[in-house]
Structure formats: structure tokens, C-alpha cells
Amino acid sequence: MKHILWTFSSVGYSHMFRDMLVMTRLRELIDVEIDVLAPPPLCTHPSLDAFTVLPDSKNIRSSGRVYEAVFRDRPGDYDLIHFIKEDGRYYEADCSIFNKILSDKTYDLVFGDESFWLITGISMNWIPKSFLFAYMSEFIGMHQMSSLAEDEMFFRMKNSQFLLSTNFMDKFLYIGSSADVPDKPFGKGLPNQRQWAERHCTYVDSIVKCPTDISIDKTELRKKIALPINRSIFLFMTYFVGNHFRKSFQKLIESTIQEIQKDDPSAFFIIVNPDLQPFSDENLMITDFISDAYQYYTACDMVIS
């Protein structure tokens, strides 16, 4: 049996669900044991009950809680540089947790899905590179959202650090194609992003591909997945990070539904959110997960994500 340590991105339920699909498929293909290191609040999500979530996950500080704390008092300001700087304060401590885990158990592979604290630790030598390491991402390089010279310098430094860390990756999986990578330098005096990716990345297709040959009509599809036949259906694909954003997004969803109902009183709404309790009545269905999402996209009249 092979042993894999799977490290999650600091922020994002979408990463968690993506990783779950890959881990599940791996367990179908090979005899493998997968330990998960996922930061709060992901580590307590019931969807991960089928996997071994390491107890140290709750001690990882680089997380969605940092994101919430940073932007709680910044209404209208979503420049990610604030989060990146604050989140980086916890990287060294998180790397110490990682080192302890590896001192207690040997893994055949360490896998990182945009776990920036991990690649930063490797580049800074906080983590001795003594393991096979694969990294997965859907973007390469970061650039400032402002026009400030100091922000440009900050991201030039972060991109240089990223380029250094890739020297320690045994495999870099990029979700997408070469055309998805910006055709411009990482920063002044740094390589072209797209040309660099073509030399260093293995391009992989979407984790779950939507079939292109769906010939069944909408009425039959709605019958198949038990949705109302003769009503407008709106699908909300959402996730919240922390209580502050949960309240804001819930208000936004509620107000959106109210506006739609003014014009279409019989409309039916589906809300997919891992933080909300499942619920269903004649006008609303709340669920934490849907399988074969493409069928719902096809059956609904509008998807709001």
C-alpha cells in the first residue's frame, strides 16, 4: 500500500471538492492510504468524513479564517495583497506542524493543491525537501491589483519565491492549457509566464468534464433528477468563508430570490452550499452537494455562481 499526504489550499471549498474527486479516483485505481491536512474550517466539513483528516489540521493558521478577518473591516476593498501579507505571517508555524507530521510518518508522496504555505516553506528552507512532491494549480503567477510601485515589487518578490519553489516540485500539474496562462513576464526581469509554464508544467484537463452529447430534453431531465417540470428553476452555486461573509451572502441570496419572485412567483430555487443545513419545501431546495452537476446546469433556467 502507498501512503499519500494531501495538503489543501488555504481558502476554498471548491478546492476541497476538487481534491475529494481526485482522491476518490486514486483510491479506485490503486491501493493507497491518503491522509488529509486541511485548514479550518475545511477540516471539520462532513464531506471529508470518508478520508483520514489529520488532527493537526485544526492547528493550521493559514486559512479562510484569516481571509475573513482581513476583509471584515474593509468594506468594498478586496485587494488580495492584504490577505496574502497577513496569511504569510503564519506560514513558518504551519511548516513546523508539517515537519512534525513527517517526522512521525513516512509518505510515498506529498500532494499540494495551491497550498502556498507549503511551497513557501520549501523555498525558504523551513521544510527540508526529503519527499516526492506533486503540486496542482489553476493559475501561475500573481500580479498587483493596484498601480503602486511597492505592490509591484511585493508581487515580483512573491513570484521569484514561487519560481524558486518549483525547483523542488517533482511534478507540477496545471489545470488548463497553455492559452490560459498569461503571456507576459512574472515581473520585471523575470521569465514569461506562458513560456515558463510550457517548459515546466504538465497540462491536465478539467477534473470533471461535462458531457457534450446531452440529447435528453429539459423536461425528461427534470423528471430524472426530481425537479419541478413547469416552473422556472434558478440554481445558486455558493460557498461562504467565515461568519461575516456567510451573513452577507445569505442577505444577498435572499434579496435576489425576493426580486425574482416579484416577476415570477412560482419560481423554484436550488441553493448548493456546504455551510447551510439541507432543507426543502415547495419553492426551495438547499443542499450541501450535488453529484453530476452538469445535469442540474442543463435542467435549470439560470445558474448563479
Side-chain angles (χ1 to χ4, degrees):
M1 175 182 286
K2 299 294 184 181
H3 300 274
I4 297 177
L5 174 59
W6 205 282
T7 63
F8 279 23
S9 171
S10 302
V11 180
Y13 282 110
S14 58
H15 289 277
M16 180 186 75
F17 288 123
R18 177 170 77 189
D19 291 332
M20 285 171 53
L21 290 168
V22 180
M23 292 188 296
T24 299
R25 183 58 175 156
L26 273 176
R27 295 201 301 193
E28 293 171 353
L29 294 173
I30 60 175
D31 186 16
V32 62
E33 177 185 83
I34 301 176
D35 290 346
V36 172
L37 187 60
L42 304 181
C43 58
T44 57
H45 195 275
S47 296
L48 289 176
D49 288 349
F51 302 92
T52 303
V53 179
L54 296 178
D56 277 319
S57 291
K58 66 181 183 297
N59 299 320
I60 296 293
R61 298 285 302 279
S62 169
S63 69
R65 291 175 179 170
V66 178
Y67 188 96
E68 178 193 8
V70 166
F71 290 114
R72 182 187 296 116
D73 301 320
R74 295 178 179 272
D77 180 7
Y78 292 101
D79 191 332
L80 288 176
I81 193 171
H82 307 305
F83 165 67
I84 294 168
K85 287 182 175 179
E86 179 65 19
D87 202 49
R89 294 178 53 206
Y90 308 107
Y91 286 180
E92 189 170 4
D94 290 346
C95 290
S96 296
I97 294 172
F98 178 86
N99 286 331
K100 178 181 177 297
I101 292 170
L102 259 64
S103 69
D104 295 335
K105 184 173 181 178
T106 300
Y107 291 94
D108 298 289
L109 173 69
V110 174
F111 195 98
D113 179 0
E114 292 186 15
S115 40
F116 298 114
W117 61 270
L118 179 56
I119 63 173
T120 299
I122 293 173
S123 67
M124 297 293 291
N125 204 31
W126 297 332
I127 296 175
K129 175 59 166 60
S130 59
F131 47 87
L132 194 65
F133 180 42
Y135 185 75
M136 178 169 69
S137 179
E138 58 191 14
F139 74 92
I140 294 174
M142 297 185 289
H143 294 276
Q144 76 273 15
M145 297 172 67
S146 75
S147 58
L148 297 176
E150 61 191 73
D151 289 356
E152 180 182 4
M153 182 63 69
F154 173 80
F155 281 107
R156 183 173 179 272
M157 180 271 292
K158 294 299 292 185
N159 285 333
S160 297
Q161 197 173 57
F162 167 76
L163 292 172
L164 177 60
S165 72
T166 60
N167 292 327
F168 300 94
M169 297 177 188
D170 298 285
K171 179 67 72 171
F172 190 137
L173 303 176
Y174 177 77
I175 303 174
S177 66
S178 175
D180 298 320
V181 182
D183 187 15
K184 64 179 183 179
F186 282 97
K188 186 176 180 180
L190 297 177
N192 176 281
Q193 291 175 240
R194 183 176 296 176
Q195 293 172 7
W196 181 91
E198 290 173 350
R199 292 195 303 270
H200 294 87
C201 296
T202 298
Y203 295 109
V204 294
D205 213 335
S206 301
I207 301 300
V208 177
K209 288 186 67 64
C210 295
T212 57
D213 59 345
I214 302 177
S215 56
I216 188 170
D217 66 39
K218 186 169 289 190
T219 299
E220 292 300 316
L221 188 54
R222 288 185 176 187
K223 290 179 181 178
K224 178 182 176 183
I225 56 180
L227 293 179
I229 304 300
N230 299 314
R231 300 169 65 181
S232 301
I233 302 179
F234 297 82
L235 172 63
F236 291 83
M237 300 291 289
T238 67
Y239 74 87
F240 309 142
V241 180
N243 291 326
H244 170 68
F245 289 101
R246 180 180 293 110
K247 293 175 183 178
S248 299
F249 275 108
Q250 281 189 261
K251 288 182 180 178
L252 177 61
I253 290 173
E254 289 170 2
S255 61
T256 302
I257 289 176
Q258 290 169 3
E259 288 299 314
I260 293 173
Q261 287 177 325
K262 289 179 182 178
D263 295 324
D264 190 350
S266 67
F268 185 78
F269 303 92
I270 305 171
I271 301 175
V272 182
N273 185 284
D275 278 335
L276 298 178
Q277 290 296 316
F279 172 80
S280 182
D281 68 12
E282 62 179 11
N283 296 314
L284 174 67
M285 180 179 80
I286 298 176
T287 181
D288 60 353
F289 181 75
I290 54 174
S291 59
D292 295 333
Y294 69 89
Q295 295 192 72
Y296 284 82
Y297 290 164
T298 304
C300 294
D301 297 287
M302 179 177 290
V303 177
I304 304 169
S305 177

